[in-house]
PDB file of all heavy atoms in Angstrom:
ATOM      1  N   ALA H 189      98.700 140.602 113.556  1.00  0.00           N
ATOM      2  CA  ALA H 189      97.916 141.192 112.490  1.00  0.00           C
ATOM      3  C   ALA H 189      98.111 140.494 111.165  1.00  0.00           C
ATOM      4  O   ALA H 189      97.230 140.589 110.284  1.00  0.00           O
ATOM      5  CB  ALA H 189      98.201 142.654 112.382  1.00  0.00           C
ATOM      6  N   LEU H 190      99.226 139.822 110.964  1.00  0.00           N
ATOM      7  CA  LEU H 190      99.468 139.088 109.691  1.00  0.00           C
ATOM      8  C   LEU H 190      98.358 138.099 109.432  1.00  0.00           C
ATOM      9  O   LEU H 190      97.960 137.910 108.273  1.00  0.00           O
ATOM     10  CB  LEU H 190     100.798 138.369 109.753  1.00  0.00           C
ATOM     11  CG  LEU H 190     102.051 139.248 109.801  1.00  0.00           C
ATOM     12  CD1 LEU H 190     103.281 138.337 109.990  1.00  0.00           C
ATOM     13  CD2 LEU H 190     102.189 140.128 108.586  1.00  0.00           C
ATOM     14  N   ALA H 191      97.882 137.436 110.480  1.00  0.00           N
ATOM     15  CA  ALA H 191      96.919 136.380 110.315  1.00  0.00           C
ATOM     16  C   ALA H 191      95.638 136.624 111.134  1.00  0.00           C
ATOM     17  O   ALA H 191      94.981 135.659 111.525  1.00  0.00           O
ATOM     18  CB  ALA H 191      97.510 135.034 110.680  1.00  0.00           C
ATOM     19  N   SER H 192      95.291 137.913 111.403  1.00  0.00           N
ATOM     20  CA  SER H 192      94.120 138.163 112.192  1.00  0.00           C
ATOM     21  C   SER H 192      92.867 137.675 111.492  1.00  0.00           C
ATOM     22  O   SER H 192      92.808 137.621 110.245  1.00  0.00           O
ATOM     23  CB  SER H 192      94.005 139.665 112.510  1.00  0.00           C
ATOM     24  OG  SER H 192      93.548 140.368 111.392  1.00  0.00           O
ATOM     25  N   GLU H 193      91.853 137.371 112.258  1.00  0.00           N
ATOM     26  CA  GLU H 193      90.599 136.833 111.645  1.00  0.00           C
ATOM     27  C   GLU H 193      89.786 137.955 110.984  1.00  0.00           C
ATOM     28  O   GLU H 193      89.098 137.719 109.997  1.00  0.00           O
ATOM     29  CB  GLU H 193      89.798 136.101 112.673  1.00  0.00           C
ATOM     30  CG  GLU H 193      90.477 134.839 113.147  1.00  0.00           C
ATOM     31  CD  GLU H 193      89.617 134.000 114.068  1.00  0.00           C
ATOM     32  OE1 GLU H 193      88.386 134.227 114.138  1.00  0.00           O
ATOM     33  OE2 GLU H 193      90.173 133.148 114.750  1.00  0.00           O
ATOM     34  N   GLU H 194      89.867 139.184 111.538  1.00  0.00           N
ATOM     35  CA  GLU H 194      89.040 140.288 111.033  1.00  0.00           C
ATOM     36  C   GLU H 194      89.591 140.860 109.718  1.00  0.00           C
ATOM     37  O   GLU H 194      88.913 140.977 108.734  1.00  0.00           O
ATOM     38  CB  GLU H 194      88.917 141.406 112.052  1.00  0.00           C
ATOM     39  CG  GLU H 194      88.251 141.001 113.355  1.00  0.00           C
ATOM     40  CD  GLU H 194      89.238 140.349 114.322  1.00  0.00           C
ATOM     41  OE1 GLU H 194      90.366 140.825 114.475  1.00  0.00           O
ATOM     42  OE2 GLU H 194      88.819 139.398 114.960  1.00  0.00           O
ATOM     43  N   ALA H 195      90.884 141.248 109.755  1.00  0.00           N
ATOM     44  CA  ALA H 195      91.478 141.893 108.613  1.00  0.00           C
ATOM     45  C   ALA H 195      92.955 141.499 108.498  1.00  0.00           C
ATOM     46  O   ALA H 195      93.865 142.273 108.817  1.00  0.00           O
ATOM     47  CB  ALA H 195      91.367 143.403 108.709  1.00  0.00           C
ATOM     48  N   PRO H 196      93.183 140.277 108.014  1.00  0.00           N
ATOM     49  CA  PRO H 196      94.586 139.818 107.942  1.00  0.00           C
ATOM     50  C   PRO H 196      95.423 140.634 106.933  1.00  0.00           C
ATOM     51  O   PRO H 196      94.884 141.008 105.908  1.00  0.00           O
ATOM     52  CB  PRO H 196      94.465 138.361 107.513  1.00  0.00           C
ATOM     53  CG  PRO H 196      93.166 138.299 106.806  1.00  0.00           C
ATOM     54  CD  PRO H 196      92.287 139.311 107.455  1.00  0.00           C
ATOM     55  N   LEU H 197      96.661 140.880 107.316  1.00  0.00           N
ATOM     56  CA  LEU H 197      97.594 141.556 106.369  1.00  0.00           C
ATOM     57  C   LEU H 197      98.018 140.574 105.257  1.00  0.00           C
ATOM     58  O   LEU H 197      98.299 141.023 104.159  1.00  0.00           O
ATOM     59  CB  LEU H 197      98.811 142.043 107.128  1.00  0.00           C
ATOM     60  CG  LEU H 197      98.524 143.136 108.171  1.00  0.00           C
ATOM     61  CD1 LEU H 197      99.780 143.484 108.941  1.00  0.00           C
ATOM     62  CD2 LEU H 197      97.908 144.381 107.569  1.00  0.00           C
ATOM     63  N   LEU H 198      98.043 139.275 105.552  1.00  0.00           N
ATOM     64  CA  LEU H 198      98.376 138.303 104.541  1.00  0.00           C
ATOM     65  C   LEU H 198      97.075 137.726 103.990  1.00  0.00           C
ATOM     66  O   LEU H 198      96.234 137.189 104.713  1.00  0.00           O
ATOM     67  CB  LEU H 198      99.192 137.150 105.168  1.00  0.00           C
ATOM     68  CG  LEU H 198     100.619 137.515 105.543  1.00  0.00           C
ATOM     69  CD1 LEU H 198     101.251 136.366 106.269  1.00  0.00           C
ATOM     70  CD2 LEU H 198     101.456 137.818 104.317  1.00  0.00           C
ATOM     71  N   THR H 199      96.885 137.903 102.696  1.00  0.00           N
ATOM     72  CA  THR H 199      95.626 137.442 102.029  1.00  0.00           C
ATOM     73  C   THR H 199      95.806 136.163 101.239  1.00  0.00           C
ATOM     74  O   THR H 199      94.880 135.662 100.683  1.00  0.00           O
ATOM     75  CB  THR H 199      95.078 138.569 101.133  1.00  0.00           C
ATOM     76  OG1 THR H 199      96.075 138.933 100.185  1.00  0.00           O
ATOM     77  CG2 THR H 199      94.687 139.791 101.997  1.00  0.00           C
ATOM     78  N   ARG H 200      97.020 135.687 101.158  1.00  0.00           N
ATOM     79  CA  ARG H 200      97.297 134.417 100.495  1.00  0.00           C
ATOM     80  C   ARG H 200      98.396 133.694 101.289  1.00  0.00           C
ATOM     81  O   ARG H 200      99.179 134.358 102.014  1.00  0.00           O
ATOM     82  CB  ARG H 200      97.767 134.659  99.080  1.00  0.00           C
ATOM     83  CG  ARG H 200      99.079 135.467  98.997  1.00  0.00           C
ATOM     84  CD  ARG H 200      99.672 135.539  97.623  1.00  0.00           C
ATOM     85  NE  ARG H 200     100.902 136.241  97.623  1.00  0.00           N
ATOM     86  CZ  ARG H 200     102.057 135.770  98.080  1.00  0.00           C
ATOM     87  NH1 ARG H 200     102.130 134.531  98.501  1.00  0.00           N
ATOM     88  NH2 ARG H 200     103.162 136.478  98.055  1.00  0.00           N
ATOM     89  N   PRO H 201      98.490 132.392 101.172  1.00  0.00           N
ATOM     90  CA  PRO H 201      99.546 131.667 101.916  1.00  0.00           C
ATOM     91  C   PRO H 201     100.938 132.071 101.441  1.00  0.00           C
ATOM     92  O   PRO H 201     101.126 132.338 100.249  1.00  0.00           O
ATOM     93  CB  PRO H 201      99.223 130.167 101.522  1.00  0.00           C
ATOM     94  CG  PRO H 201      97.831 130.166 101.162  1.00  0.00           C
ATOM     95  CD  PRO H 201      97.572 131.480 100.504  1.00  0.00           C
ATOM     96  N   VAL H 202     101.881 132.149 102.390  1.00  0.00           N
ATOM     97  CA  VAL H 202     103.260 132.447 102.063  1.00  0.00           C
ATOM     98  C   VAL H 202     104.199 131.384 102.608  1.00  0.00           C
ATOM     99  O   VAL H 202     103.880 130.734 103.588  1.00  0.00           O
ATOM    100  CB  VAL H 202     103.685 133.843 102.628  1.00  0.00           C
ATOM    101  CG1 VAL H 202     102.903 134.986 102.017  1.00  0.00           C
ATOM    102  CG2 VAL H 202     103.574 133.892 104.145  1.00  0.00           C
TER     103      VAL H 202
END
Side-chain angles (χ1 to χ4, degrees):
L190 294 174
S192 77
E193 291 185 18
E194 299 84 41
L197 296 175
L198 290 172
T199 56
R200 63 171 183 75
V202 295

